[in-house]
Amino acid sequence: MNPVEYKPARRNRLREILVDVAAGVVTQLVVAALTAAARLVF
């Protein structure tokens, strides 16, 4: 396995993980905001 060929694959995998984590954080924030809004309304 050539290191030059391996680096981009590793970088892409790391980017996928970061995107997944960011999406999870955004989802949690949206759920928290909706829950807070529901508490205010009801």
Side-chain angles (χ1 to χ4, degrees):
M1 193 181 295
N2 196 349
V4 178
E5 294 174 1
Y6 181 67
K7 250 185 188 178
R10 184 179 179 188
R11 194 170 294 148
N12 287 342
R13 182 67 187 139
L14 184 62
R15 186 179 297 157
E16 286 178 15
I17 293 170
L18 289 175
V19 168
D20 288 343
V21 170
V25 170
V26 169
T27 302
Q28 291 288 344
L29 288 174
V30 170
V31 169
L34 289 175
T35 304
R39 284 184 187 158
L40 289 175
V41 171
F42 298 112

Short mmCIF file of all heavy atoms in Angstrom, two decimals:
data_model
loop_
_atom_site.label_atom_id
_atom_site.label_comp_id
_atom_site.label_asym_id
_atom_site.label_seq_id
_atom_site.Cartn_x
_atom_site.Cartn_y
_atom_site.Cartn_z
N MET A 1 0.85 -1.19 0.00
CA MET A 1 0.00 0.00 0.00
C MET A 1 0.89 1.24 0.00
O MET A 1 1.70 1.42 0.89
CB MET A 1 -0.90 -0.03 1.24
CG MET A 1 -2.03 0.99 1.17
SD MET A 1 -3.05 0.96 2.64
CE MET A 1 -3.75 -0.67 2.51
N ASN A 2 0.74 2.05 -1.01
CA ASN A 2 1.56 3.25 -1.14
C ASN A 2 1.00 4.36 -0.24
O ASN A 2 -0.20 4.65 -0.30
CB ASN A 2 1.54 3.71 -2.61
CG ASN A 2 2.66 4.68 -2.90
OD1 ASN A 2 3.31 5.17 -1.97
ND2 ASN A 2 2.88 4.98 -4.17
N PRO A 3 1.83 4.98 0.59
CA PRO A 3 1.33 6.05 1.48
C PRO A 3 0.68 7.19 0.73
O PRO A 3 -0.29 7.79 1.20
CB PRO A 3 2.59 6.54 2.20
CG PRO A 3 3.54 5.39 2.12
CD PRO A 3 3.23 4.68 0.83
N VAL A 4 1.16 7.48 -0.48
CA VAL A 4 0.58 8.56 -1.27
C VAL A 4 -0.86 8.23 -1.66
O VAL A 4 -1.71 9.09 -1.71
CB VAL A 4 1.44 8.82 -2.53
CG1 VAL A 4 0.83 9.92 -3.38
CG2 VAL A 4 2.87 9.21 -2.11
N GLU A 5 -1.11 6.94 -1.93
CA GLU A 5 -2.47 6.53 -2.29
C GLU A 5 -3.35 6.39 -1.05
O GLU A 5 -4.55 6.57 -1.12
CB GLU A 5 -2.42 5.18 -3.01
CG GLU A 5 -1.72 5.27 -4.37
CD GLU A 5 -1.55 3.90 -4.98
OE1 GLU A 5 -1.99 2.92 -4.37
OE2 GLU A 5 -0.95 3.82 -6.06
N TYR A 6 -2.74 6.07 0.08
CA TYR A 6 -3.52 5.79 1.30
C TYR A 6 -4.03 7.06 1.96
O TYR A 6 -5.12 7.07 2.52
CB TYR A 6 -2.65 5.00 2.28
CG TYR A 6 -3.36 4.62 3.55
CD1 TYR A 6 -4.40 3.72 3.55
CD2 TYR A 6 -2.98 5.19 4.75
CE1 TYR A 6 -5.05 3.37 4.71
CE2 TYR A 6 -3.62 4.85 5.93
CZ TYR A 6 -4.66 3.94 5.91
OH TYR A 6 -5.29 3.62 7.05
N LYS A 7 -3.25 8.15 1.90
CA LYS A 7 -3.62 9.39 2.59
C LYS A 7 -5.00 9.94 2.21
O LYS A 7 -5.79 10.21 3.09
CB LYS A 7 -2.55 10.45 2.37
CG LYS A 7 -1.76 10.77 3.61
CD LYS A 7 -0.80 11.92 3.38
CE LYS A 7 0.13 12.09 4.58
NZ LYS A 7 1.10 13.17 4.35
N PRO A 8 -5.30 10.10 0.91
CA PRO A 8 -6.61 10.65 0.56
C PRO A 8 -7.77 9.80 1.08
O PRO A 8 -8.78 10.34 1.52
CB PRO A 8 -6.60 10.66 -0.97
CG PRO A 8 -5.16 10.69 -1.33
CD PRO A 8 -4.47 9.89 -0.25
N ALA A 9 -7.63 8.48 1.04
CA ALA A 9 -8.68 7.60 1.54
C ALA A 9 -8.89 7.85 3.04
O ALA A 9 -10.02 7.93 3.52
CB ALA A 9 -8.31 6.14 1.28
N ARG A 10 -7.80 7.97 3.77
CA ARG A 10 -7.90 8.22 5.20
C ARG A 10 -8.53 9.58 5.46
O ARG A 10 -9.36 9.73 6.34
CB ARG A 10 -6.50 8.15 5.81
CG ARG A 10 -6.48 8.29 7.33
CD ARG A 10 -5.06 8.18 7.86
NE ARG A 10 -5.03 8.33 9.30
CZ ARG A 10 -3.93 8.45 10.00
NH1 ARG A 10 -2.75 8.41 9.41
NH2 ARG A 10 -3.97 8.58 11.31
N ARG A 11 -8.13 10.58 4.67
CA ARG A 11 -8.69 11.92 4.83
C ARG A 11 -10.18 11.93 4.54
O ARG A 11 -10.96 12.57 5.23
CB ARG A 11 -7.94 12.89 3.89
CG ARG A 11 -8.20 14.34 4.21
CD ARG A 11 -7.27 15.24 3.42
NE ARG A 11 -5.89 15.06 3.81
CZ ARG A 11 -4.85 15.20 3.01
NH1 ARG A 11 -5.03 15.49 1.74
NH2 ARG A 11 -3.62 15.02 3.45
N ASN A 12 -10.59 11.18 3.50
CA ASN A 12 -12.01 11.11 3.17
C ASN A 12 -12.80 10.43 4.29
O ASN A 12 -13.90 10.86 4.63
CB ASN A 12 -12.22 10.35 1.86
CG ASN A 12 -11.78 11.18 0.66
OD1 ASN A 12 -11.66 12.40 0.75
ND2 ASN A 12 -11.55 10.53 -0.45
N ARG A 13 -12.22 9.38 4.86
CA ARG A 13 -12.90 8.68 5.97
C ARG A 13 -13.05 9.60 7.17
O ARG A 13 -14.10 9.64 7.80
CB ARG A 13 -12.07 7.43 6.33
CG ARG A 13 -12.69 6.61 7.43
CD ARG A 13 -14.01 5.97 6.94
NE ARG A 13 -14.68 5.33 8.04
CZ ARG A 13 -16.00 5.38 8.25
NH1 ARG A 13 -16.77 6.05 7.44
NH2 ARG A 13 -16.54 4.76 9.27
N LEU A 14 -11.98 10.36 7.46
CA LEU A 14 -12.03 11.30 8.58
C LEU A 14 -13.09 12.35 8.32
O LEU A 14 -13.84 12.72 9.22
CB LEU A 14 -10.65 11.95 8.74
CG LEU A 14 -10.50 12.89 9.95
CD1 LEU A 14 -10.71 12.12 11.24
CD2 LEU A 14 -9.12 13.53 9.95
N ARG A 15 -13.17 12.81 7.08
CA ARG A 15 -14.19 13.81 6.73
C ARG A 15 -15.59 13.24 6.90
O ARG A 15 -16.49 13.91 7.41
CB ARG A 15 -13.97 14.27 5.28
CG ARG A 15 -14.90 15.41 4.88
CD ARG A 15 -14.61 15.84 3.45
NE ARG A 15 -13.26 16.37 3.33
CZ ARG A 15 -12.58 16.41 2.19
NH1 ARG A 15 -13.11 15.93 1.08
NH2 ARG A 15 -11.36 16.91 2.15
N GLU A 16 -15.78 11.98 6.50
CA GLU A 16 -17.09 11.33 6.67
C GLU A 16 -17.47 11.28 8.15
O GLU A 16 -18.61 11.56 8.52
CB GLU A 16 -17.05 9.91 6.11
CG GLU A 16 -17.05 9.85 4.60
CD GLU A 16 -16.97 8.42 4.10
OE1 GLU A 16 -17.18 7.50 4.91
OE2 GLU A 16 -16.67 8.23 2.91
N ILE A 17 -16.50 10.93 9.00
CA ILE A 17 -16.76 10.85 10.44
C ILE A 17 -17.13 12.23 10.98
O ILE A 17 -18.09 12.37 11.75
CB ILE A 17 -15.53 10.28 11.17
CG1 ILE A 17 -15.31 8.82 10.78
CG2 ILE A 17 -15.70 10.42 12.69
CD1 ILE A 17 -13.99 8.25 11.25
N LEU A 18 -16.39 13.27 10.57
CA LEU A 18 -16.68 14.62 11.04
C LEU A 18 -18.05 15.08 10.58
O LEU A 18 -18.79 15.71 11.35
CB LEU A 18 -15.60 15.59 10.54
CG LEU A 18 -14.23 15.43 11.19
CD1 LEU A 18 -13.23 16.36 10.52
CD2 LEU A 18 -14.30 15.73 12.68
N VAL A 19 -18.42 14.75 9.35
CA VAL A 19 -19.74 15.12 8.84
C VAL A 19 -20.83 14.41 9.63
O VAL A 19 -21.85 15.02 10.00
CB VAL A 19 -19.86 14.80 7.34
CG1 VAL A 19 -21.31 14.89 6.86
CG2 VAL A 19 -18.98 15.76 6.53
N ASP A 20 -20.62 13.13 9.93
CA ASP A 20 -21.60 12.38 10.73
C ASP A 20 -21.76 12.98 12.11
O ASP A 20 -22.88 13.15 12.61
CB ASP A 20 -21.18 10.91 10.85
CG ASP A 20 -21.34 10.15 9.55
OD1 ASP A 20 -22.08 10.64 8.67
OD2 ASP A 20 -20.75 9.07 9.41
N VAL A 21 -20.64 13.34 12.75
CA VAL A 21 -20.69 13.94 14.08
C VAL A 21 -21.40 15.28 14.02
O VAL A 21 -22.26 15.58 14.86
CB VAL A 21 -19.26 14.10 14.66
CG1 VAL A 21 -19.29 14.94 15.93
CG2 VAL A 21 -18.66 12.73 14.94
N ALA A 22 -21.07 16.10 13.02
CA ALA A 22 -21.70 17.42 12.88
C ALA A 22 -23.21 17.27 12.66
O ALA A 22 -24.00 18.00 13.26
CB ALA A 22 -21.06 18.19 11.72
N ALA A 23 -23.60 16.31 11.83
CA ALA A 23 -25.02 16.08 11.57
C ALA A 23 -25.73 15.66 12.86
O ALA A 23 -26.84 16.11 13.15
CB ALA A 23 -25.19 15.01 10.50
N GLY A 24 -25.08 14.83 13.65
CA GLY A 24 -25.66 14.40 14.92
C GLY A 24 -25.83 15.56 15.88
O GLY A 24 -26.86 15.68 16.55
N VAL A 25 -24.83 16.43 15.94
CA VAL A 25 -24.91 17.61 16.83
C VAL A 25 -26.03 18.53 16.38
O VAL A 25 -26.82 19.00 17.20
CB VAL A 25 -23.55 18.35 16.84
CG1 VAL A 25 -23.69 19.69 17.55
CG2 VAL A 25 -22.49 17.50 17.53
N VAL A 26 -26.13 18.78 15.09
CA VAL A 26 -27.20 19.65 14.56
C VAL A 26 -28.56 19.04 14.87
O VAL A 26 -29.48 19.75 15.29
CB VAL A 26 -27.02 19.85 13.04
CG1 VAL A 26 -28.25 20.52 12.45
CG2 VAL A 26 -25.77 20.69 12.77
N THR A 27 -28.69 17.73 14.70
CA THR A 27 -29.96 17.06 14.99
C THR A 27 -30.33 17.23 16.46
O THR A 27 -31.47 17.55 16.79
CB THR A 27 -29.86 15.56 14.64
OG1 THR A 27 -29.51 15.45 13.25
CG2 THR A 27 -31.17 14.85 14.90
N GLN A 28 -29.35 17.05 17.34
CA GLN A 28 -29.61 17.21 18.78
C GLN A 28 -30.05 18.63 19.09
O GLN A 28 -30.95 18.85 19.90
CB GLN A 28 -28.34 16.87 19.58
CG GLN A 28 -27.99 15.39 19.55
CD GLN A 28 -28.94 14.54 20.36
OE1 GLN A 28 -29.69 15.04 21.18
NE2 GLN A 28 -28.92 13.26 20.14
N LEU A 29 -29.40 19.62 18.46
CA LEU A 29 -29.76 21.02 18.69
C LEU A 29 -31.18 21.31 18.21
O LEU A 29 -31.94 22.01 18.89
CB LEU A 29 -28.76 21.95 17.99
CG LEU A 29 -27.38 22.02 18.62
CD1 LEU A 29 -26.45 22.86 17.75
CD2 LEU A 29 -27.44 22.61 20.03
N VAL A 30 -31.54 20.78 17.05
CA VAL A 30 -32.89 20.98 16.51
C VAL A 30 -33.92 20.35 17.45
O VAL A 30 -34.94 20.97 17.77
CB VAL A 30 -33.01 20.40 15.09
CG1 VAL A 30 -34.46 20.38 14.63
CG2 VAL A 30 -32.15 21.22 14.13
N VAL A 31 -33.65 19.14 17.90
CA VAL A 31 -34.59 18.45 18.81
C VAL A 31 -34.72 19.25 20.11
O VAL A 31 -35.83 19.43 20.62
CB VAL A 31 -34.10 17.01 19.08
CG1 VAL A 31 -34.90 16.39 20.23
CG2 VAL A 31 -34.21 16.17 17.82
N ALA A 32 -33.59 19.74 20.64
CA ALA A 32 -33.63 20.53 21.87
C ALA A 32 -34.43 21.81 21.67
O ALA A 32 -35.21 22.21 22.53
CB ALA A 32 -32.21 20.84 22.33
N ALA A 33 -34.24 22.47 20.53
CA ALA A 33 -34.98 23.71 20.24
C ALA A 33 -36.47 23.44 20.12
O ALA A 33 -37.29 24.19 20.66
CB ALA A 33 -34.44 24.35 18.96
N LEU A 34 -36.84 22.36 19.43
CA LEU A 34 -38.26 22.02 19.28
C LEU A 34 -38.87 21.67 20.63
O LEU A 34 -40.02 22.05 20.93
CB LEU A 34 -38.42 20.84 18.32
CG LEU A 34 -38.13 21.17 16.85
CD1 LEU A 34 -38.18 19.88 16.01
CD2 LEU A 34 -39.12 22.19 16.30
N THR A 35 -38.12 20.95 21.46
CA THR A 35 -38.62 20.59 22.79
C THR A 35 -38.84 21.84 23.64
O THR A 35 -39.87 21.97 24.31
CB THR A 35 -37.61 19.65 23.49
OG1 THR A 35 -37.39 18.52 22.67
CG2 THR A 35 -38.13 19.20 24.85
N ALA A 36 -37.89 22.78 23.59
CA ALA A 36 -38.03 24.02 24.35
C ALA A 36 -39.22 24.82 23.85
O ALA A 36 -40.00 25.36 24.64
CB ALA A 36 -36.75 24.84 24.23
N ALA A 37 -39.40 24.88 22.53
CA ALA A 37 -40.53 25.62 21.95
C ALA A 37 -41.85 24.96 22.35
O ALA A 37 -42.82 25.64 22.70
CB ALA A 37 -40.40 25.65 20.42
N ALA A 38 -41.89 23.62 22.36
CA ALA A 38 -43.10 22.91 22.75
C ALA A 38 -43.45 23.20 24.21
O ALA A 38 -44.62 23.37 24.57
CB ALA A 38 -42.92 21.42 22.53
N ARG A 39 -42.43 23.27 25.07
CA ARG A 39 -42.67 23.57 26.47
C ARG A 39 -43.24 24.99 26.64
O ARG A 39 -44.09 25.22 27.50
CB ARG A 39 -41.38 23.45 27.28
CG ARG A 39 -40.99 21.99 27.54
CD ARG A 39 -39.76 21.90 28.42
NE ARG A 39 -39.32 20.52 28.52
CZ ARG A 39 -38.05 20.19 28.84
NH1 ARG A 39 -37.16 21.13 29.06
NH2 ARG A 39 -37.73 18.93 28.95
N LEU A 40 -42.74 25.92 25.83
CA LEU A 40 -43.24 27.29 25.92
C LEU A 40 -44.68 27.39 25.45
O LEU A 40 -45.50 28.10 26.03
CB LEU A 40 -42.35 28.23 25.08
CG LEU A 40 -40.96 28.50 25.64
CD1 LEU A 40 -40.15 29.33 24.64
CD2 LEU A 40 -41.04 29.24 26.97
N VAL A 41 -45.01 26.65 24.39
CA VAL A 41 -46.35 26.75 23.79
C VAL A 41 -47.37 26.01 24.64
O VAL A 41 -48.46 26.52 24.89
CB VAL A 41 -46.33 26.18 22.35
CG1 VAL A 41 -47.75 26.08 21.79
CG2 VAL A 41 -45.47 27.08 21.46
N PHE A 42 -47.00 24.79 25.11
CA PHE A 42 -48.00 23.98 25.83
C PHE A 42 -47.86 24.09 27.33
O PHE A 42 -46.84 24.16 27.89
CB PHE A 42 -47.90 22.52 25.40
CG PHE A 42 -48.19 22.33 23.94
CD1 PHE A 42 -47.22 21.94 23.04
CD2 PHE A 42 -49.49 22.58 23.44
CE1 PHE A 42 -47.50 21.77 21.69
CE2 PHE A 42 -49.78 22.41 22.11
CZ PHE A 42 -48.78 22.01 21.23
#
